[in-house]
Amino acid sequence: MRWTLHCLFLSMALAGCAGRASTFLKSGGETAPPLPSAVAESPRQEAERLWAQRADPDSTRAMLAAFFRAAAADPENRAYLARCSRAVYFVAHYIEGDPAKKDSLFTLGLQTAERSLGLHPAFRKIFEETGDEKRAVELVGEEDIDAVYWYAANLGRWAASKNLLVRLGAKGKLEKFNG
């Protein structure tokens, strides 16, 4: 029994447990869904208009594309990146039925929230110096709490469809952000 536990912990350590690399410090790289045809309103106005119509599954992909166009127009806007992460979560959780597409969307939502947090100067500084997400997230203020929330929400849903080792690694990350 003891030997089995040692092997289990060793395999978890070697497997990396988290199952994916974070993108806190990467710039851009998020890929938006295919863009719909241009409209007269700004991407942000279009995104907000389509968000109000989110009960209609047909408009949700256009909504997501508009959110990412608006974020691309203002790539340093942490709050809007968090809003994009929320929109991605909504589509993945409530609209998308294909498990592979859900997984891709939760990954995109997670990356978008990580990008938002990575733009926070204090978070970035501590994370670059230590790699410790918990210490870095402690410096995030109220203005960035949406990014923290949508990071955790997307991570939890993403990990739910993974194997035990990945779920355990994600649980550890979620506990860091909660405590």
Side-chain angles (χ1 to χ4, degrees):
M1 178 67 171
R2 181 181 268 178
W3 177 250
T4 304
L5 287 175
H6 288 292
C7 288
L8 176 64
F9 287 120
L10 179 61
S11 67
M12 286 172 51
L14 294 175
C17 295
R20 59 175 293 283
S22 68
T23 56
F24 290 113
L25 305 180
K26 293 183 180 168
S27 59
E30 298 90 314
T31 54
L35 302 177
S37 60
V39 293
E41 60 194 343
S42 76
R44 190 173 239 178
Q45 291 169 327
E46 179 186 15
E48 297 304 330
R49 178 180 54 78
L50 290 169
W51 175 258
Q53 300 169 7
R54 65 190 174 276
D56 175 19
D58 294 334
S59 68
T60 58
R61 292 196 182 29
M63 172 197 68
L64 213 47
F67 266 102
F68 277 95
R69 278 198 313 279
D74 190 5
E76 302 298 309
N77 187 328
R78 300 187 319 251
Y80 209 73
L81 284 168
R83 199 120 158 81
C84 286
S85 182
R86 175 186 182 195
V88 173
Y89 178 91
F90 176 83
V91 172
H93 185 64
Y94 295 108
I95 303 298
E96 188 56 61
D98 179 359
K101 289 180 182 176
K102 278 180 174 280
D103 186 67
S104 294
L105 285 167
F106 286 128
T107 300
L108 178 61
L110 184 55
Q111 291 170 338
T112 305
E114 287 174 340
R115 171 82 175 111
S116 176
L117 289 169
L119 289 171
H120 190 285
F123 181 98
R124 183 177 194 87
K125 181 179 186 293
I126 295 298
F127 190 77
E128 283 176 334
E129 291 173 359
T130 67
D132 186 348
E133 296 164 353
K134 183 175 183 173
R135 282 189 54 207
V137 82
E138 288 172 355
L139 301 173
V140 172
E142 250 181 66
E143 70 279 1
D144 291 289
I145 199 68
D146 285 349
V148 173
Y149 179 84
W150 293 111
Y151 168 83
N154 280 290
L155 177 60
R157 290 291 177 173
W158 172 83
S161 66
K162 305 296 181 235
N163 67 43
L164 176 64
L165 294 178
V166 173
R167 288 194 313 266
L168 286 173
K171 179 180 179 267
K173 283 184 175 230
L174 290 170
E175 287 172 348
K176 284 181 184 180
F177 275 67
N178 188 32

